[in-house]
Amino acid sequence: MRETILFSAQLRLDRTNPVFDTPEGLCEHVDSIIRDLELTREADILVGSEDDGGLTFEQKKRLSIAVELAASPSIVFLDEPTSGLDARAALLVMTALKKMCNTGRTVVATIHQPSSAVFDMFDDLLLLKKGGEMVFYGDLGESSGNLISYFENLGATCMNKGENPATWMLNVLGEAILVTGEDGENVPLDFGKAWAESPNSLDLQRRLLEISESQDEDLRIKYKSEFAATWYRRDNLVRMSVSAS
């Protein structure tokens, strides 16, 4: 498993990265990723299949994240990293992702039916209703307080103590919350329109406008070439990989 992460780092890290300053730097970079994702015991196991003594499905999930971290990205995108995992394994993966956030990286992830413990690990939420229309975005707050207050103020059923906020918010979107329409008749609340007209949404639009109008060129991510590694380095690594196999 260690070789998988090392191979990714050698191919995807730019030569100007500080980890190349010393011969031991690259190995320490890989080892730190292994420690952060709690894969130390599995570091020298062949990936293989679980039936043949290789990594489990959950461990491979963490390995796939480690391969991306090898490139030292400032932001990581993940599509349902807990899908197919039991509650314990999902919590283990999310704990590792939270550690990544604590090192200064940004993690953007879609999540499917998270437990309360997993949901509480997120700082911000972008919630879309069926059809892809935004109905909430922002800081969740302590124990999802901001999310809960927003929907309760719209007339949603109050969340019960101990209820999973992720389940509750989806149930809320399925509710028929009636509001007074333009003709004075009661009509179902349009969650998308309610969000678009909310102070939170207007403040978000203002902030986005400010960012777009005052872009700092020094903060723009730029690359000198299409590939981080040189042609010679890529070719040499592939040759080594083929000969090792």
Side-chain angles (χ1 to χ4, degrees):
M1 185 198 70
R2 188 193 305 273
E3 289 180 350
T4 303
I5 305 172
L6 180 61
F7 189 77
S8 176
Q10 290 173 315
L11 278 177
R12 301 171 65 188
L13 275 176
D14 191 278
R15 264 292 176 185
T16 60
N17 194 291
V19 303
F20 288 108
D21 289 347
T22 62
E24 300 81 15
L26 188 59
C27 291
E28 175 54 33
H29 171 65
V30 171
D31 287 340
S32 67
I33 294 173
I34 291 173
R35 289 194 300 270
D36 289 343
L37 293 176
E38 299 183 26
L39 287 168
T40 304
R41 289 188 299 178
E42 299 84 7
D44 298 315
I45 296 177
L46 292 175
V47 176
S49 66
E50 187 174 358
D51 294 337
D52 298 325
L55 299 181
T56 65
F57 178 67
E58 177 270 324
Q59 290 166 345
K60 288 178 181 176
K61 283 265 189 180
R62 282 186 284 160
L63 175 59
S64 65
I65 297 171
V67 167
E68 296 305 312
L69 287 181
S72 193
S74 58
I75 183 169
V76 181
F77 292 91
L78 299 165
D79 183 23
E80 298 191 6
T82 60
S83 292
L85 302 179
D86 59 27
R88 178 188 173 279
L91 187 59
L92 191 60
V93 168
M94 289 306 302
T95 300
L97 293 178
K98 192 66 176 179
K99 286 184 178 180
M100 289 166 46
C101 295
N102 293 338
T103 63
R105 289 187 175 91
T106 298
V107 176
V108 179
T110 58
I111 197 75
H112 180 64
Q113 293 183 328
S115 65
S116 297
V118 168
F119 193 76
D120 284 342
M121 289 186 178
F122 285 87
D123 298 311
D124 299 279
L125 173 70
L126 170 61
L127 178 60
L128 307 177
K129 73 172 186 177
K130 188 176 181 179
E133 192 173 7
M134 186 188 301
V135 295
F136 179 85
Y137 173 77
D139 183 4
L140 280 170
E142 186 176 354
S143 300
S144 302
N146 293 342
L147 171 72
I148 296 168
S149 296
Y150 172 75
F151 281 113
E152 287 183 347
N153 289 335
L154 290 179
T157 303
C158 293
M159 194 180 85
N160 296 321
K161 185 176 181 180
E163 189 175 357
N164 185 345
T167 303
W168 175 80
M169 70 182 187
L170 295 180
N171 291 335
V172 166
L173 294 181
E175 287 184 22
I177 301 175
L178 298 179
V179 295
T180 304
E182 295 180 357
D183 57 0
E185 297 292 329
N186 287 337
V187 296
L189 174 67
D190 184 332
F191 286 99
K193 183 179 179 181
W195 166 255
E197 296 175 350
S198 70
N200 292 346
S201 177
L202 297 176
D203 182 60
L204 174 63
Q205 296 301 322
R206 178 188 58 78
R207 284 158 49 201
L208 290 175
L209 183 61
E210 289 178 354
I211 292 172
S212 63
E213 291 181 346
S214 59
Q215 297 183 27
D216 188 345
E217 285 297 319
D218 292 336
L219 298 178
R220 186 183 294 274
I221 298 176
K222 301 176 182 178
Y223 300 97
K224 295 181 179 179
S225 61
E226 182 178 359
F227 301 103
T230 62
W231 176 88
Y232 174 79
R233 184 169 156 211
R234 297 197 306 271
D235 184 64
N236 190 43
L237 285 171
V238 171
R239 290 177 183 273
M240 291 172 59
S241 177
V242 171
S243 62
S245 59

